[in-house]
Amino acid sequence: MHHLITFACGAGICLASASALLAQDNSSPEAQAKIEAGESVYNNNCENCHGDQLVNTGQTFDLRRLTAGDRARFDNSVRNGKNQMPPWKDVLSNEEIDQVWSYIRSKAYQK
Ligand code: HEC
């Protein structure tokens, strides 16, 4: 049934699903929903400093550089902050941080 839902969707969502399929195993509707949730958390909290669609102009860290093995570092820096970056542990839930991670992974240079 999930596939029927996917193919009945609007053009934008179908395109997003197709590109996620090419990128990595984000093909399930659940994984896709998590990435989309992460994108909105990102847009509301991180975009100002880290750039539209993660495209960074060089003032801050380019989040697309994070690799799959950087999860612990990501969690620590995001929760506790780093230098000019404020801490997020009192702002975002663990679930939201996890969603942002999925979004970042979906756009990472190294999958
Ligand atoms: C006020 C600007 C600002 C905002 C908002 C911001 N960041 Fe950052 N972020 C920075 C800066 C500056 C650095 C570079 C820190 C350094 O290494 O000195 C950074 C670095 C990072 C790093 C790399 C840390 C490391 O281990 O080297 C991660 C991961 C990160 N940010 C994630 C996020 C996420 C996720 C959000 C949204 C929840 C966010 N940032 C919001 C400014 C910001």
Side-chain angles (χ1 to χ4, degrees), residues 4 12 14 49 56 58 60 69 72 76 86 88-89 91 99 103-104 107:
L4 289 177
C14 291
C49 295
N56 190 287
T60 62
N76 183 51
W88 297 97
K89 64 177 183 297
V91 180
Q99 290 164 345
Y103 173 58
I104 291 170
K107 293 195 175 290

Side-chain angles (χ1 to χ4, degrees), residues 45-46 49-50 60-61 63 66 73-74 77-78 82-86 88 92 100:
N45 299 281
C46 322
C49 295
H50 287 281
T60 62
F61 184 86
L63 295 170
L66 294 169
R73 170 184 169 179
F74 173 81
S77 301
V78 173
K82 187 175 180 191
N83 300 318
Q84 298 301 305
M85 180 166 74
W88 297 97
L92 300 177
V100 177

